[in-house]
């Protein structure tokens, strides 16, 4: 499975849009891997996990052919993960000419679908358009077809909606995409085990919004929760010693540049994702 990190920042970006803190000034000065756009993953050039407000920039930067996209898995409805303007550009009547009649299939919770329908109504005067087909997803649901399958899992993020994580599998890999979550509930491990069907995770991409700053129980993680999560995956038989881990979704509030994050995390067996990284 080919995975490209299109963005690795939290909602405000890193450096943040209006911020003048030292971490943001340093990131702007350093450039390169310290410039982080809003979080999104591209899988096998045909599947997005979240479509954020920086997708157009990411397309230009990485020379992406997004007309090949077949599906988008939305984790939740927050604007840094669900950009309605970008999604509306998939309309084949006015904005998009791919020569392919198959719609873009999008999957998300009830609030995601509500926002999509509202956005389409505002843009086109109708809640549904032929070129975007929305599907309601709940934790535990299996979606997509082989060779790349997906299973939705429960996240701990915004209590106002059913936030989701995704297990992605093909013949070679079983990848857990765990952005925007704090410490997960026990049912997460039950559903993960059911989704894996006896396999082990080969790769884990996990939220690390706070870096080394532990903020306790909340809708994001730090290195403290990352360690605990890895231990729980091992204890529950979902991972083994060959499972590899990447941390992502960094806020400028963590205060660390890319080199400092690498120095602290790689010593503990976590790789630090950056925009454009392909694994």
């Amino acid at each position: 499975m080919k995975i490209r990190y299109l963005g690795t920042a939290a909602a405000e970006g890193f450096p943040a849009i209006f911020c003048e803190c030292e971490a943001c000034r340093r990131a702007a000065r350093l450039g390169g891997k310290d410039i982080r756009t809003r979080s999104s993953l591209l899988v096998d050039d045909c599947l997005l996990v979240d479509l954020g407000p920086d997708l157009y920039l990411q397309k230009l930067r990485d020379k992406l052919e997004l007309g090949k996209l077949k599906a988008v898995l939305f984790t939740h409805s927050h604007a840094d993960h669900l950009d309605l303007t970008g999604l509306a550009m998939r309309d084949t009547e006015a904005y998009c000419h791919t020569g392919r009649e198959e719609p873009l299939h999008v999957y998300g919770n009830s609030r995601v679908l509500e926002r999509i329908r509202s956005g389409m109504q505002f843009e086109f005067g109708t809640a549904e358009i032929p070129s975007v087909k929305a599907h309601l997803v709940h934790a535990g649901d299996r979606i997509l077809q082989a060779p790349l399958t997906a299973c939705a899992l429960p996240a701990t993020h915004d209590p106002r909606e059913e936030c989701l994580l995704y297990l992605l599998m093909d013949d070679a890999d079983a990848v857990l995409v765990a952005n925007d979550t704090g410490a997960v509930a026990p049912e997460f491990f039950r559903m993960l085990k059911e989704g894996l069907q006896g396999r082990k995770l080969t790769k884990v991409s996990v939220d690390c919004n706070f870096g080394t700053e532990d903020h306790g129980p909340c809708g994001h993680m730090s290195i403290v929760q990352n360690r605990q999560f890895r231990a729980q995956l091992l204890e529950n038989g979902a991972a083994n010693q060959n499972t590899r881990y990447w941390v992502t979704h960094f806020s400028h509030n963590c205060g660390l540049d890319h080199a400092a994050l690498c120095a602290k995390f790689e010593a503990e067996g976590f790789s630090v994702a950056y925009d454009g990284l392909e694994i």
Side-chain angles (χ1 to χ4, degrees):
M1 194 183 306
K2 183 174 71 172
I3 298 171
R4 178 182 285 271
Y5 283 90
L6 301 185
T8 56
E12 68 276 14
F14 196 169
I17 298 176
F18 298 109
C19 188
E20 297 181 352
C21 75
E22 176 54 32
C24 287
R25 290 181 183 275
R26 185 168 60 250
R29 184 172 64 252
L30 290 171
K33 295 176 182 179
D34 283 286
I35 303 299
R36 300 181 182 275
T37 57
R38 269 66 70 93
S39 291
S40 179
L41 276 177
L42 179 63
V43 182
D44 288 344
D45 298 321
C46 65
L47 170 70
L48 273 181
V49 180
D50 289 331
L51 191 164
D54 297 321
L55 184 62
Y56 183 60
L57 166 65
Q58 294 159 348
K59 166 191 167 74
L60 299 178
R61 182 198 66 202
D62 293 345
K63 298 179 174 59
L64 305 175
E65 296 184 42
L66 295 179
K68 295 180 178 179
L69 278 180
K70 296 180 180 179
V72 183
L73 306 180
F74 286 106
T75 56
H76 60 302
S77 70
H78 292 180
D80 57 319
H81 294 261
L82 169 53
D83 178 50
L84 295 172
T85 299
L87 185 59
M89 295 304 104
R90 185 56 176 76
D91 169 56
T92 54
E93 291 294 320
Y95 298 125
C96 171
H97 309 295
T98 65
R100 290 183 286 273
E101 296 183 3
E102 178 70 12
L104 178 66
H105 293 270
V106 299
Y107 301 83
N109 65 33
S110 59
R111 192 158 179 172
V112 166
L113 267 58
E114 179 184 344
R115 286 201 63 220
I116 289 174
R117 291 179 180 128
S118 176
M120 295 303 176
Q121 183 70 45
F122 179 84
E123 184 73 24
F124 303 110
T126 178
E128 297 181 3
I129 61 173
S131 47
V132 175
K133 185 171 180 59
H135 306 268
L136 178 63
V137 176
H138 296 290
D141 287 352
R142 291 182 177 277
I143 47 184
L144 306 182
Q145 300 295 320
L148 182 63
T149 63
C151 180
L153 303 167
T156 303
H157 185 53
D158 185 340
R160 297 173 298 176
E161 61 180 293
E162 184 185 10
C163 298
L164 300 169
L165 310 177
Y166 290 100
L167 168 65
L168 308 177
M169 294 196 296
D170 62 14
D171 289 341
D173 277 313
V175 179
L176 176 61
V177 180
N179 285 352
D180 274 50
T181 188
V184 295
E187 59 263 29
F188 165 86
F189 295 102
R190 176 182 59 80
M191 292 184 185
L192 176 60
K193 184 176 181 179
E194 291 173 356
L196 283 168
Q197 296 181 322
R199 296 175 62 177
K200 303 293 184 183
L201 290 168
T202 56
K203 300 176 177 69
V204 176
S205 176
V206 62
D207 180 293
C208 192
N209 192 81
F210 297 121
T212 58
E213 299 293 322
D214 183 18
H215 287 249
C218 64
H220 289 288
M221 292 192 187
S222 71
I223 193 170
V224 174
Q225 289 77 36
N226 292 155
R227 292 191 201 106
Q228 294 170 347
F229 187 51
R230 180 171 60 185
Q232 288 174 309
L233 291 173
L234 288 166
E235 290 168 6
N236 282 273
N240 59 25
Q241 297 305 317
N242 295 320
T243 305
R244 296 186 63 191
Y245 299 83
W246 282 263
V247 285
T248 185
H249 199 283
F250 297 103
S251 167
H252 69 131
N253 293 308
C254 76
L256 299 174
D257 58 43
H258 182 75
L261 285 166
C262 289
K264 293 179 180 295
F265 280 82
E266 290 181 356
E268 299 204 35
F270 295 96
S271 297
V272 179
Y274 57 86
D275 286 23
L277 170 66
E278 189 171 284
I279 58 175

